[in-house]
Amino acid sequence: RTAGFRDGHRFVASLRAPGRPGHGELGVRALGGGGARQLTADSVSVLGAVWSHDSRFLALERTNDFADVDAVLLDVTSRETRLLTAHTGSKRYTPVAFSPDDREVLLISDAKDGVPRLAIVELGRDTLRWLDTGPWPVEAAGWSADGRLAYSEDADGRVTTYLMRTDGSGRRRIGPERGTTSFVEFSADGRRVLLSHSD
């Protein structure tokens, strides 16, 4: 998985660690070419990342094992990291988007009840609050520039995408009525939503 810089000149990508099959690290490189600058050097695999709007930070997905995934905040300049989701046992926390003001990170996590659900971690306090999206597993989500959330839920094989505010109000379905429709991303201004659809 890759993610573009907000300034449009660089991107972050997964790198294979030499001599360590299946182990991934993250590096940043310029779109015009040249080598990648490695950002992480972890004892476990780092598989994905999302950028803050000011391009200062990445929220990483650090995989301890298949069932145990941490969300970690990384300073792109200093390469310092901070664990956002301290926990015990096997739980998955996958960061998917920063809030418009970069003060919070939207996660998909199974830590509440074993089902992938939406949660928001407030940076600085690193406190977690859960969002009510109903009984079905959440499989994709994003946060628009104007503060709305989009998320896709899998209702026994029928995937549907919704928009709502962070307080749970204004929930409405988007996309075609038939088939499965999954969220991909918001446009930079939040006025459009890219969806993947199959009927």
Side-chain angles (χ1 to χ4, degrees):
R1 185 166 63 171
T2 62
F5 241 80
R6 297 288 171 172
D7 62 16
H9 300 303
R10 293 170 288 180
F11 67 96
V12 65
S14 296
L15 306 174
R16 291 184 179 177
R20 301 180 69 184
H23 184 90
E25 298 290 357
L26 291 181
V28 64
R29 66 185 305 167
L31 289 175
R37 178 172 71 95
Q38 189 167 325
L39 294 175
T40 61
D42 215 318
S43 59
V44 296
S45 209
V46 180
L47 296 180
V50 291
W51 289 100
S52 62
H53 293 82
D54 62 10
S55 299
R56 292 179 56 202
F57 297 99
L58 286 163
L60 310 178
E61 181 181 353
R62 187 173 67 190
T63 304
N64 303 310
D65 60 47
F66 178 76
D68 189 23
V69 178
D70 294 322
V72 175
L73 189 70
L74 179 139
D75 184 307
V76 175
T77 302
S78 68
R79 295 193 289 186
E80 293 180 358
T81 60
R82 187 174 88 241
L83 178 65
L84 299 177
T85 53
H87 63 276
T88 58
S90 293
K91 296 177 174 62
R92 295 181 62 89
Y93 297 89
T94 300
V96 292
F98 279 82
S99 63
D101 61 7
D102 288 332
R103 294 182 179 179
E104 297 174 310
V105 175
L106 182 65
L107 308 171
I108 297 175
S109 175
D110 63 3
K112 184 177 182 180
D113 56 9
V115 176
R117 303 197 182 282
L118 284 183
I120 292 175
V121 60
E122 181 182 349
L123 301 179
R125 294 184 178 184
D126 297 350
T127 55
L128 200 68
R129 65 183 169 95
W130 296 93
L131 304 178
D132 183 12
T133 56
W136 303 108
V138 173
E139 66 169 28
W143 206 329
S144 73
D146 60 6
R148 291 174 297 164
L149 302 178
Y151 68 94
S152 299
E153 65 178 21
D154 185 346
D156 285 341
R158 180 171 179 169
V159 181
T160 307
T161 299
Y162 296 90
L163 286 177
M164 74 174 188
R165 299 183 184 92
T166 56
D167 63 4
S169 64
R171 182 178 184 265
R172 66 182 177 92
R173 178 178 173 168
I174 59 173
E177 290 294 320
R178 292 182 52 188
T180 63
T181 304
S182 295
F183 171 82
V184 178
E185 65 180 340
F186 279 104
S187 61
D189 61 8
R191 296 176 59 190
R192 294 177 175 83
V193 180
L194 183 64
L195 303 170
S196 174
H197 177 73
S198 173
D199 63 4

